[in-house]
Each structure stands twice: as C-alpha cells, then as structure tokens.
Amino acid sequence: MQSETMHAGGVLEADVDGTTGLTAELVAAVSAACDRAEEHQAAVVVLRIRGAADSAPLPDIALFTRWESVLRRLERVPAVSVAAMWGPCGGVALDAALVADYRIAHPTAELVPSVSSGDVWPGMALFRMGRLSQQAAVRRAVLFGEPVGVNDALAAGLVDQVAEDPDADAGRLHRRLTGTWGPDLAIRRDLLQGSATEFEGALGGHLAACDRLLRRRATSA
C-alpha cells in the first residue's frame, strides 16, 4: 500500500503495487489502514490495484506470516472493501484483491499467481482462489501458475464486474455502501466464507508449503 488518501464520507483510497515485493513497510501500511477502518475513520476502503513483478524475490516465512495475518485482519474489518483492478495483478496486488468484498476489473486486468523459477508460490491467494471457484481456469492457476484473464475471472466469480473506469465505478459503489459499516459486516463475511477453523487449518498448510519451498530453494542455491 504505497499511498493512501482519505476522502469525504469516510472513503479511504489506497494504492497497492504488485511490481514490488512484500516488505515490512507494506505490512505496516495495511495494518494502519485497518486501524482507521476499525476506528470508523473509514467506512469504505477502495484498493487501487495493479502490477505483477516478473521476478519478485520470495519473502521469508516470518514476513509472509505477518502479511497473511494483516490480510486476514483486512478481510474482517467493519468497513466495506472494494478492489479496483488494472492490468496484470500479481504478488501483493493479487493477495489484496482477493480479500476485498467487491472487485471491479478493467478489461486489461489479469490475475497472475506468483511463479519463481518454475515454482508456484503456495500462499493463501491459492486458497482464496480455490474457495471462490473450482472452474478450469482457476484450477490451472492454482496448480500451474497460469494467469486468469478478466473474462474467465468474471465467469469464475473472482471479479464482480468489468468496467472501463474502475475508479468511477468504485466511486458509485462506495456511495451506495457507506451505510453498511459495522461489526455485523464481519459476521456476514464469516457466514459466507464458512468456518474460521477452515481458514486457520488452511493457513497452517500453506505456511508449511511456503516454508518447504524456501528451504528447498536455499538448499539448491
């Protein structure tokens, strides 16, 4: 989350650039945005998402664990979250997009799993994609790291709408959703997503898979 802007009506806009790798600064920035949402300074969080790195370095497991923790927090804030997406979205951009309540994609948008030296990064983005859909394009993304084009993403339910101007559509949407702030929103998300135990169990498996990949990469270096 490289920059953020608070607008009238409690709308917090934040940029997430997937061309940069995961950093402690990004984790802190997302955590700060969660603070503002939880304190009702923001009723709607609009994430302006774009970018996928060609060869972003793999994060260490401790930083990745912190990142997944803050994403889970973002997933549970009492504010509505809207992702406005352009072009290839990978790495931290894909992670952030998949935790949003509503996703608006430009026709150029593409969901790009992180692949490094032929290895698909087994982070929680794969869990969230698989939970949202089991369509063929999603299975190929999870298993083989193939990007998901915007039409397949729309058909699979990974995005809610395609728009030529995601910013404008996000603006219209947040005017309709600003009255939905509150703890009941997080409860409804849990009902929609299923048991929190399912998530925690999946997180353990994904962390273990990420740790194995990092150890194997360190051994072969």
Side-chain angles (χ1 to χ4, degrees):
M1 199 168 290
Q2 284 68 26
S3 63
E4 64 177 49
T5 306
M6 179 67 77
H7 295 275
V11 178
L12 174 65
E13 288 189 354
D15 294 326
V16 182
D17 183 359
T19 61
T20 63
L22 177 59
T23 64
E25 290 75 18
L26 176 62
V27 174
V30 175
S31 182
C34 291
D35 288 340
R36 299 179 78 169
E38 289 166 354
E39 294 165 2
H40 204 177
Q41 296 179 40
V44 176
V45 178
V46 177
L47 304 171
R48 305 179 74 255
I49 290 171
R50 69 181 77 221
D54 292 331
S55 57
L58 296 177
D60 67 75
I61 199 65
L63 182 60
F64 175 68
T65 302
R66 289 171 54 203
W67 173 237
E68 287 296 348
S69 177
V70 78
L71 284 177
R72 182 58 169 163
R73 187 180 169 201
L74 180 61
E75 205 169 25
R76 299 170 66 84
V77 295
V80 175
S81 55
V82 180
M85 306 163 62
W86 291 263
C89 300
V92 294
L94 178 60
D95 288 340
L98 291 174
V99 303
D101 295 315
Y102 197 91
R103 289 173 284 275
I104 305 172
H106 187 266
T108 60
E110 189 176 47
L111 281 63
V112 184
S114 295
V115 178
S116 177
S117 300
D119 290 315
V120 180
W121 177 245
M124 287 295 284
L126 302 187
F127 169 75
R128 291 185 172 96
M129 291 177 75
R131 184 177 61 184
L132 288 166
S133 175
Q134 289 292 324
Q135 290 200 15
V138 177
R139 286 191 287 102
R140 292 195 299 271
V142 172
L143 295 175
F144 312 124
E146 292 186 7
V148 180
V150 70
N151 291 329
D152 284 334
L154 182 64
L158 297 178
V159 301
D160 294 282
Q161 72 178 83
V162 177
E164 289 290 341
D165 190 348
D167 265 343
D169 280 65
R172 287 189 286 271
L173 186 67
H174 75 58
R175 284 190 289 273
R176 177 162 61 89
L177 297 179
T178 49
T180 61
W181 185 94
D184 285 348
L185 180 61
I187 293 172
R188 293 196 297 274
R189 286 193 194 105
D190 279 344
L191 293 174
L192 180 64
Q193 296 171 357
S195 169
T197 305
E198 175 191 0
F199 180 91
E200 298 302 333
L203 178 60
H206 282 261
L207 289 175
C210 291
D211 189 49
R212 283 194 297 272
L213 174 57
L214 292 171
R215 290 176 184 274
R216 186 174 75 247
R217 192 65 64 79
T219 300
S220 62

